[in-house]
Amino acid sequence: MRNLLEIQKKLVPDMMEILQKRYDILHRISTSGKIGRRSLAAEVDLTERVLRSELETLRAQGLLSIGTDGMALSEAGKRLLEDMKPLVKELFGLSELEERLQAAFGLKRVVIVPGDSDESDHVKWELGRAGAHVLRDSMSPGDVVAVMGGSTMFRMAAQFSMPTAQRDNWFVPARGGLGESVDYQANTIASELAKRTGARYRMLHVPDHLSEEAYQSIMQEPGVREVVDMIRGARIVVHGIGDAMTMARRRKLVPETMEEIRKDGALAEAFGYYFDRDGKVVHRMATAGLRLEDIEAAGVVIGIAGGRSKGEAIASVLRFGHDDILVTDEAGALEALRHH
Amino acid sequence: MRNLLEIQKKLVPDMMEILQKRYDILHRISTSGKIGRRSLAAEVDLTERVLRSELETLRAQGLLSIGTDGMALSEAGKRLLEDMKPLVKELFGLSELEERLQAAFGLKRVVIVPGDSDESDHVKWELGRAGAHVLRDSMSPGDVVAVMGGSTMFRMAAQFSMPTAQRDNWFVPARGGLGESVDYQANTIASELAKRTGARYRMLHVPDHLSEEAYQSIMQEPGVREVVDMIRGARIVVHGIGDAMTMARRRKLVPETMEEIRKDGALAEAFGYYFDRDGKVVHRMATAGLRLEDIEAAGVVIGIAGGRSKGEAIASVLRFGHDDILVTDEAGALEALRHH
DNA sequence: AACATGCGGGACATTTTACGTCCAGCAATT
DNA sequence: AATTGCTGGACGTAAAATGTCCCGCATGTT
C-alpha cells in the first residue's frame, strides 16, 4: 500500500471496475472503428442503456466523437488510449490473471489480491478481507454457511461485515475440534462470523478425528445429530487450503497414517481431506463434519489461500474440481497456474 | 495527459471529488481522535446520512474502527493516511489554489484546469471544456444566457453539451459584431451553443461599436430592440478576459482612443469594457449589447480565461468585482494571485 | 428511385439506490 | 440514577439508473 493506485483502490473501491469498463469500451471502439451503440453493447456485454450512459460520460469528457453514422474515438480519445497502453498491465494485470485461473480450473469466479502472503502479513489480511467480501456477495437470506478453521479463515472472519444484519443466516463449523489454538477453530470462526453479522450459529462439540465406533455413538446424540445435519446441508462452504504434511502434523495423525498418505503423494489438504497432485483424494476418514459428498452437493464452495508456497496445493485442490470460487493472492495464483 | 492520475480523471471524472471527500473524512477523524458521527458530519460539512454511507464504505475497507463510543482510524487507516501525505499536494493542489482564489477575490466558485494555456493548445481546450461544464451546471430551465465572443468562448461552445435538451433556454450574443473571424463572433457562439443543446437563440445584427446617433436610430428597430432587451435581461453572462491593448487593436479602435485608454492604465478587457489594475473601468462606450449595469444585475457572471500571460488581466477584471465564477488554468490562477 | 438497415437520441415506466429523518439500545460519564 | 453521545436499524421519499420502445435520419442497396 504505497503508491497512488493502491491508495485509490482503498478509498474508492469501485473505481477499478469503472475504469476497466470504460477502458474496455474505448478499446473496443478503437479496434472496431466506426460502430453503433447496439452492436457495441453486444461486444462489451452491457445492456444498451447502460452502455449509453457510459458513452454519454465519455463523450462529455471529449473522448468520443459521435455522429449520425456511428461513433469513433476523438483525437483526445485516441491519445488517451495510447497513453494508457503502458499502464494497462499495471492496472488490469490481476484481472487477466483472474480470468486465466478461472478458465484453467473451470471456476465460477476468481479474486486475486496483489502481493504474496508468504512475504507480508499485510497481504494475508487483505486476502482475508477479499474472502470476506466474496462470502458476503455469495450469501442469500436463509443460507447455511459451513466454515473451516485455520489462520486464513480467522483473518477472513475478523474482517467480515454485512451491510444489514441477517438474522436468518446460519454459520456452522464444517468440522469438529482440531486441538489447535482456539482462535483458529472452526467453531470459533463460525461464532465470530455470526456475531459480526447478527446471524445465528451452532457449534459442533466433537473432535474432528473419530474412530468408527466413537463416530457411531456420538452421532446418536440428538444435540450433535442436529448440528451435523445442518452442516451437511450447508449451501455455502468456505475453506482454506494447506500443505498436506503440515496439516497432517498439525492434526497429529499417527505416524503410520502420515507415512501412508505421503506414499500416496498427498500434497494438499482442504476440508479435512488430502489430495495428490491430480486432485485425487488419497486419504479419508470418518468425520462428524462435512463429507466429500456434502462438498459436491453444496451450492457454493469458496476456497481461500495465498502465498507462493501454497500455489501447488491450491492447484491440487482445484483439480479436485468442486470449488466454485477461489480467493488467492498474486503469488499463489501464478504458482497455481504453473502447476496446471 | 500522461500519468495515471490524469487518465483516471478523464475516465472517472467523479473520482477526485470522492477521493477528496473520503480523504477529508479520514483526515478529520485522524486529528479529532475518537469522534461521533454527528459532530464529524458538522466538521466535514456533510449531512449525517451521507457521511454515514461514506463511513460504511470506509469501514468496509478496513480503514475505520467503529465502536460504541465513537470512531477512530484503524491501523490500516492510519497507515493509509500516512502513505497519502506525500501525494496530497499532487492530488488536491489545484483545489487549494481554487479556494485561495475564491477567497482572494470573493468569488462564488473557481475552477482551475492544470497547465498553462500559453504553452499548450491542449490546455486551451481543457479550459473550454471546464467552462462548458461550469456553464451547464449554472443553467436552469428558462434561463437566458448572454455570451461574448473570442477564441476561448469558441472552444467552450464547441465542447458544450447538455444531458437533455432544454428547449426553453435562450442563448444570446452579449454584444454585436466585432469584425473578427466569424467563428469567434458572439453571434456564432450563441448559435453554436443553442444548436448543441436544442435550445433557442437570437442574433444581434449590429456592429459592436456605435456612434451615439447610430445607436439611437438602430434601437428603434423592433427586431433589434427585442433582442437587446433579452440580452440585457440575461440571467447568466459568460465572457472571456483579454489583454486591453490586444483587444483594442482587434477592435480597431481609433488611435486617439487607444492612446487615451493606455494613458488611463487600461490593462484588461472584458465584455467590451477596459479595466485598469484596480478593476476600475477606464473606458466605456455606447453599445447595443450588454452594459455594465446589466452585468451587475445578472444572476451569474462567468469569466473564462487562462494562461500566465493573462493572469494580470484576470486579476484586474476580478477586482471589478462582478464575476461570480472564474474558470482558468493553473498558470493563470497563480499569476492572478500574484497580482492580488 | 424506392427501400431497407443501422445509427443516435428522445421518451417513459420501473426498478434500484441514495437520502433525510427518527428512534431504540447501549456505554460512559456526570 | 440520570444524562449524554454513540452506533445502527427502520422507513418513507426523492433521485438516479435501467430496460424498453420508438422516431427521424443518414447511408448503402436493390
Side-chain angles (χ1 to χ4, degrees):
Chain A
M1 195 207 299
R2 51 181 70 82
N3 64 38
L4 176 58
L5 189 58
E6 293 303 314
I7 291 175
Q8 287 176 315
K9 281 186 193 168
K10 272 286 187 194
L11 282 181
V12 193
D14 300 337
M15 183 198 58
M16 287 308 291
E17 202 180 327
I18 303 174
L19 204 60
Q20 185 155 21
K21 180 166 57 175
R22 296 192 180 159
Y23 172 77
D24 256 15
I25 294 172
L26 285 182
H27 191 255
R28 218 39 164 273
I29 297 175
S30 163
T31 60
S32 304
K34 268 232 168 354
I35 187 174
R37 199 205 308 143
R38 276 165 256 266
S39 30
L40 183 59
E43 287 198 30
V44 295
D45 195 36
L46 293 173
T47 68
E48 190 190 323
R49 193 61 183 76
V50 172
L51 173 62
R52 192 166 157 182
S53 307
E54 296 299 329
L55 292 176
E56 272 159 15
T57 74
L58 289 175
R59 197 186 61 156
Q61 292 300 103
L63 302 174
L64 292 180
S65 76
I66 298 184
T68 165
D69 56 339
M71 66 194 94
L73 296 187
S74 70
E75 278 312 310
K78 284 181 200 159
R79 201 166 56 235
L80 181 118
L81 220 50
E82 195 59 36
D83 290 348
M84 275 192 84
K85 238 181 199 165
L87 300 174
V88 166
K89 187 160 184 184
E90 181 185 351
L91 285 169
F92 310 131
L94 290 190
S95 310
E96 280 180 41
L97 200 51
E98 285 171 358
E99 280 167 27
R100 272 162 58 203
L101 258 183
Q102 187 177 333
F105 293 101
L107 294 160
K108 285 215 190 75
R109 188 177 168 198
V110 175
V111 173
I112 300 177
V113 301
D116 184 347
S117 293
D118 292 344
E119 304 286 333
S120 142
D121 277 358
H122 172 238
V123 176
K124 287 184 184 169
W125 282 95
E126 283 301 310
L127 186 66
R129 216 168 53 75
H133 205 98
V134 166
L135 173 56
R136 190 181 68 186
D137 286 354
S138 305
M139 285 175 64
S140 311
D143 277 348
V144 175
V145 181
V147 296
M148 293 292 309
S151 64
T152 301
M153 294 298 294
F154 168 78
R155 281 185 290 264
M156 188 274 280
Q159 298 178 88
F160 193 80
S161 75
M162 273 243 152
T164 170
Q166 296 286 1
R167 194 156 303 279
D168 60 346
N169 280 118
W170 287 89
F171 288 98
V172 294
R175 300 182 69 91
L178 232 77
E180 266 189 294
S181 143
V182 66
D183 282 346
Y184 297 169
Q185 296 294 323
N187 271 330
T188 314
I189 287 165
S191 87
E192 173 73 11
L193 283 167
K195 214 187 316 173
R196 295 185 66 86
T197 59
R200 298 199 273 182
Y201 69 99
R202 301 298 293 267
M203 308 249 286
L204 185 62
H205 294 295
V206 301
D208 184 49
H209 194 198
L210 285 168
S211 68
E212 184 61 30
E213 55 210 284
Y215 171 71
Q216 292 300 348
S217 72
I218 205 160
M219 287 296 274
Q220 303 304 318
E221 296 290 326
V224 171
R225 180 80 235 177
E226 201 180 320
V227 178
V228 169
D229 285 344
M230 200 171 227
I231 291 171
R232 295 184 173 172
R235 195 184 78 87
I236 300 180
V237 177
V238 192
H239 65 90
I241 295 172
D243 173 65
M245 286 310 137
T246 311
M247 279 307 295
R249 223 170 301 124
R250 206 175 289 170
R251 278 242 174 76
K252 301 196 198 323
L253 293 197
V254 291
E256 305 87 77
T257 321
M258 275 188 67
E259 189 48 41
E260 185 185 322
I261 66 173
R262 182 206 301 280
K263 256 200 0 250
D264 289 339
L267 209 135
E269 187 274 350
F271 27 85
Y273 293 85
Y274 295 84
F275 301 86
D276 68 10
R277 51 167 302 158
D278 298 321
K280 201 153 56 66
V281 176
V282 294
H283 181 68
R284 48 194 313 166
M285 51 191 168
T287 173
L290 216 60
R291 298 157 306 176
L292 279 183
E293 52 263 46
D294 305 320
I295 298 277
E296 290 165 18
V300 183
V301 180
I302 304 174
I304 310 180
R308 184 181 157 84
S309 65
K310 282 202 180 168
E312 193 175 6
I314 292 171
S316 161
V317 173
L318 292 185
R319 275 243 177 67
F320 171 60
H322 288 287
D323 274 73
D324 299 299
I325 305 181
L326 172 70
V327 181
T328 185
D329 59 20
E330 205 174 347
L334 287 168
E335 192 68 6
L337 267 180
R338 221 166 61 75
H339 287 92
H340 179 236
Chain B
M1 196 206 298
R2 50 182 71 83
N3 63 37
L4 176 59
L5 189 59
E6 293 303 314
I7 290 174
Q8 287 175 315
K9 282 187 194 168
K10 272 287 188 194
L11 281 182
V12 194
D14 299 336
M15 183 198 58
M16 286 307 291
E17 204 179 326
I18 302 174
L19 204 60
Q20 184 154 20
K21 182 167 52 174
R22 296 193 179 158
Y23 172 77
D24 256 13
I25 293 172
L26 286 181
H27 190 254
R28 218 40 164 273
I29 297 174
S30 164
T31 61
S32 304
K34 269 236 175 335
I35 186 173
R37 200 202 306 143
R38 273 165 259 266
S39 31
L40 183 59
E43 287 197 30
V44 295
D45 194 36
L46 293 173
T47 68
E48 192 189 322
R49 193 59 183 76
V50 173
L51 174 62
R52 190 167 158 183
S53 307
E54 297 299 330
L55 292 176
E56 271 159 14
T57 74
L58 290 175
R59 198 187 59 156
Q61 293 300 104
L63 302 174
L64 291 181
S65 76
I66 299 184
T68 164
D69 57 339
M71 68 193 92
L73 295 187
S74 70
E75 278 312 310
K78 283 179 198 158
R79 203 167 54 235
L80 182 118
L81 219 51
E82 195 59 35
D83 290 348
M84 274 192 84
K85 239 182 198 163
L87 299 173
V88 167
K89 188 160 184 184
E90 182 186 350
L91 285 169
F92 309 131
L94 289 189
S95 310
E96 280 181 41
L97 200 51
E98 284 171 357
E99 279 165 29
R100 273 162 58 202
L101 257 183
Q102 188 178 332
F105 292 101
L107 294 160
K108 285 215 191 75
R109 188 178 169 198
V110 175
V111 173
I112 300 178
V113 301
D116 185 345
S117 294
D118 293 344
E119 305 286 333
S120 142
D121 277 357
H122 172 239
V123 177
K124 287 184 184 172
W125 282 94
E126 283 302 310
L127 186 66
R129 215 169 53 75
H133 205 98
V134 166
L135 174 56
R136 189 181 69 185
D137 287 353
S138 305
M139 285 173 65
S140 311
D143 276 348
V144 175
V145 181
V147 296
M148 293 291 309
S151 65
T152 301
M153 293 298 294
F154 168 77
R155 281 185 290 264
M156 188 275 281
Q159 298 179 89
F160 192 81
S161 74
M162 273 246 153
T164 169
Q166 295 285 2
R167 192 156 305 277
D168 59 345
N169 280 118
W170 287 89
F171 288 98
V172 293
R175 300 182 68 90
L178 231 80
E180 264 189 297
S181 141
V182 64
D183 281 346
Y184 296 170
Q185 296 293 323
N187 270 330
T188 314
I189 288 165
S191 88
E192 173 73 11
L193 284 167
K195 213 186 318 173
R196 295 185 66 85
T197 59
R200 298 199 273 181
Y201 69 99
R202 303 297 292 267
M203 308 250 287
L204 185 63
H205 294 295
V206 301
D208 185 48
H209 193 199
L210 286 168
S211 69
E212 184 60 32
E213 56 211 284
Y215 171 72
Q216 292 301 345
S217 72
I218 205 160
M219 287 296 275
Q220 303 305 317
E221 295 290 327
V224 171
R225 181 79 232 178
E226 200 180 319
V227 178
V228 168
D229 284 345
M230 200 171 226
I231 291 172
R232 294 183 174 172
R235 196 184 79 86
I236 300 179
V237 177
V238 192
H239 66 89
I241 295 173
D243 172 66
M245 285 311 136
T246 312
M247 279 307 295
R249 224 170 299 124
R250 208 175 289 169
R251 279 243 173 76
K252 300 197 199 322
L253 294 196
V254 291
E256 304 87 77
T257 321
M258 276 188 66
E259 188 47 42
E260 186 186 320
I261 66 173
R262 181 206 302 280
K263 254 200 1 253
D264 290 339
L267 209 135
E269 185 275 351
F271 27 84
Y273 293 86
Y274 295 84
F275 301 86
D276 67 10
R277 52 167 301 158
D278 298 322
K280 202 153 57 64
V281 176
V282 295
H283 182 68
R284 50 193 312 165
M285 51 192 167
T287 173
L290 215 62
R291 297 157 308 177
L292 279 183
E293 53 263 46
D294 304 321
I295 299 276
E296 290 165 19
V300 183
V301 179
I302 304 173
I304 309 180
R308 186 180 156 83
S309 66
K310 281 201 181 169
E312 193 175 5
I314 292 170
S316 162
V317 173
L318 291 185
R319 276 245 175 66
F320 172 59
H322 289 286
D323 275 73
D324 299 297
I325 304 180
L326 172 70
V327 181
T328 185
D329 59 20
E330 205 173 347
L334 287 168
E335 192 69 6
L337 267 180
R338 219 167 61 76
H339 287 91
H340 178 234

